C-alpha cells in the first residue's frame, strides 16, 4: 500500500449510480467536520448543502450563499469523513450564466475541497450545463421539483407537481437532467405518485426529500431530523430532540456557573473516569 492509499475506500459516483433500484441510499447534510465524522459510518452520501446558509448562517433563504462559503464547509466535511461520497452544492449565481462559468466554479470546488461531486438545481435550461460538466469528467448530481434557489422568483418554498402542468414540468426536468448525464438526482417536494413515476423513468438513482419512500434513497437536513429547531418542514420525521437536550444542558451549566458550584478539573476527571 502506498502512503497515498487511504485505508477506507470512499464511495464513488459509479457506486452511487449502481444503487439504482437496489439498496436505498442513506443521505444527510453536513457542514462541518464533527458532524461529518458522526454521519460518515451510516451514510452513503453526505451533501454539503447550500442550506448551510439558513441552518448555520441564519440567512432567510439560500440566495446569499457564496462559492467561498461552500468551499470552506466542503473542506471541513472532507476532513471529517472518509467513507461517504461528499457532494458540494453549487450556490445560486455560480453556474447559471454559462457552461464555462459552471465548469470553472465546479472545478474549483472539486480542486479546493477534494469532494467527489457537485450538485446543481436543474431546471430544464441547466441540462446543457450538466452535459458540459459531465463530458469534462465533473460528476454532477441534479436537483428537481422544489428548487430552493427559485424561492425569490416563486415567492417561497413551494411543493411541486400539484397540477398536470407542474407534474409534466418536473418530469421533464428529471428526464433532461438524467439524459444530460447526472449520476444521481435529488427530487424535492413532490407527491408519492410523481416520485414513483420519476424514479421509474430515469436511469439515475433518485434521492427524495419530501418525496416519499418511492425514490432510490432519502436525504434530509440533519439538524431538521435531529430536532434542533422549533420549526421543521412538515414532511420531516424527528429522530431525536436535540433542542430540548441542549437547552437542558445549557440551563444546568448556567445555573452551576452562577452558583459557583461547577466542578473543578480534578472532580471532572475523577467523575469521567468512573
Ligand atoms: O441544500 C440542501 O441541503 C439541499 C437538500 C437536498 C437537503 O439541497
Amino acid at each position: 500500500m502506498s502512503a497515498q492509499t487511504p485505508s477506507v475506500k470512499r464511495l464513488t459516483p459509479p457506486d452511487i449510480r449502481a444503487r439504482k433500484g437496489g439498496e436505498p441510499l442513506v443521505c444527510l447534510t453536513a457542514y462541518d467536520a464533527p458532524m461529518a465524522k458522526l454521519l460518515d459510518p451510516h451514510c452513503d452520501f453526505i451533501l454539503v448543502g447550500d442550506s448551510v446558509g439558513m441552518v448555520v448562517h441564519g440567512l432567510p433563504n439560500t440566495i446569499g450563499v457564496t462559492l467561498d462559503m461552500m468551499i470552506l464547509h466542503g473542506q471541513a466535511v472532507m476532513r471529517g469523513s472518509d467513507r461517504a461520497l461528499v457532494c458540494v452544492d453549487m450556490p445560486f449565481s455560480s453556474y447559471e450564466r454559462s457552461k464555462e462559468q459552471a465548469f470553472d466554479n465546479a472545478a474549483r470546488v472539486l480542486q479546493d475541497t477534494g469532494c467527489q461531486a457537485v450538485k446543481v438545481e436543474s431546471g430544464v435550461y441547466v441540462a446543457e450545463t450538466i452535459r458540459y460538466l459531465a463530458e469534462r469528467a465533473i460528476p454532477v448530481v441534479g436537483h428537481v421539483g422544489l428548487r430552493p434557489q427559485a424561492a425569490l422568483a416563486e415567492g417561497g418554498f413551494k411543493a411541486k407537481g400539484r397540477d398536470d402542468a407542474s407534474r409534466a414540468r418536473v418530469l421533464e426536468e428529471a428526464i433532461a437532467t438524467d439524459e444530460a448525464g447526472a449520476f444521481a438526482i435529488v427530487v424535492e417536494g413532490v407527491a408519492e405518485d410523481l416520485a414513483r413515476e420519476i424514479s421509474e423513468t430515469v436511469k439515475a438513482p433518485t434521492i427524495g426529500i419530501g418525496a416519499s419512500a418511492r425514490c432510490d434513497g432519502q436525504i434530509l437536513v440533519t439538524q431538521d431530523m435531529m430536532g434542533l429547531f422549533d420549526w421543521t418542514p412538515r414532511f420531516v420525521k424527528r429522530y431525536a430532540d436535540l433542542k430540548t437536550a441542549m437547552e437542558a444542558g445549557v440551563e444546568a451549566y448556567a445555573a452551576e456557573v452562577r452558583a459557583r458550584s461547577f466542578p473543578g478539573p480534578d472532580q471532572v476527571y475523577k467523575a469521567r473516569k468512573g
Side-chain angles (χ1 to χ4, degrees):
M1 199 195 303
S2 86
Q4 273 76 35
T5 309
S7 52
V8 182
K9 193 183 167 302
R10 255 189 212 279
L11 292 173
T12 64
D15 294 332
I16 298 294
R17 193 172 174 88
R19 297 275 286 276
K20 177 74 187 175
E23 189 192 341
L25 291 161
V26 180
C27 315
L28 283 168
T29 58
Y31 317 116
D32 57 48
M35 183 66 87
K37 192 164 183 195
L38 206 124
L39 304 184
D40 194 47
H42 310 283
C43 287
D44 303 304
F45 179 106
I46 296 179
L47 176 68
V48 186
D50 60 354
S51 51
V52 68
M54 301 167 76
V55 175
V56 174
H57 296 276
L59 294 170
N61 51 44
T62 58
I63 303 299
V65 175
T66 66
L67 198 65
D68 287 343
M69 284 162 78
M70 295 312 302
I71 288 172
L72 196 68
H73 289 286
Q75 288 168 336
V77 169
M78 282 301 295
R79 284 185 213 112
S81 62
D82 51 19
R83 179 193 165 271
L85 179 142
V86 174
C87 175
V88 174
D89 256 344
M90 297 295 290
F92 177 71
S93 82
S94 70
Y95 62 95
E96 300 91 331
R97 192 170 62 241
S98 66
K99 308 184 294 256
E100 291 78 10
Q101 179 212 21
F103 179 84
D104 289 348
N105 285 332
R108 191 174 151 220
V109 169
L110 295 184
Q111 289 173 334
D112 288 1
T113 68
C115 74
Q116 285 70 53
V118 295
K119 175 164 82 59
V120 293
E121 294 190 7
S122 43
V124 172
Y125 72 97
V126 180
E128 205 190 326
T129 296
I130 295 177
R131 187 182 310 283
Y132 188 85
L133 298 181
E135 281 172 350
R136 284 158 183 77
I138 296 198
V140 187
V141 174
H143 183 153
V144 303
L146 190 166
R147 289 185 276 118
Q149 291 172 11
L152 285 185
E154 295 181 353
F157 301 106
K158 302 274 162 64
K160 289 288 146 55
R162 293 241 168 99
D163 56 48
D164 288 352
S166 168
R167 222 188 130 90
R169 203 170 318 115
V170 177
L171 193 57
E172 189 192 358
E173 282 170 5
I175 292 171
T177 301
D178 192 43
E179 289 177 347
F183 74 89
I185 305 176
V186 169
V187 179
E188 179 162 359
V190 305
E192 181 162 346
D193 59 335
L194 180 54
R196 180 191 287 116
E197 186 175 357
I198 293 171
S199 299
E200 286 173 359
T201 305
V202 298
K203 294 197 189 73
T206 54
I207 302 173
I209 169 163
S212 85
R214 301 279 73 83
C215 294
D216 298 296
Q218 174 166 251
I219 184 156
L220 291 175
V221 170
T222 303
Q223 284 80 350
D224 285 345
M225 63 80 124
M226 295 305 284
L228 192 60
F229 305 123
D230 286 328
W231 183 89
T232 48
R234 268 189 313 176
F235 60 81
V236 177
K237 174 175 172 183
R238 291 184 186 211
Y239 290 82
D241 188 357
L242 281 195
K243 181 168 184 279
T244 306
M246 286 184 70
E247 274 169 358
V250 174
E251 241 175 74
Y253 169 78
E256 286 189 355
V257 173
R258 283 194 194 104
R260 288 192 201 281
S261 67
F262 59 92
D266 291 348
Q267 285 161 285
V268 173
Y269 181 67
K270 270 190 207 131
R272 285 177 57 168
K273 262 181 87 186

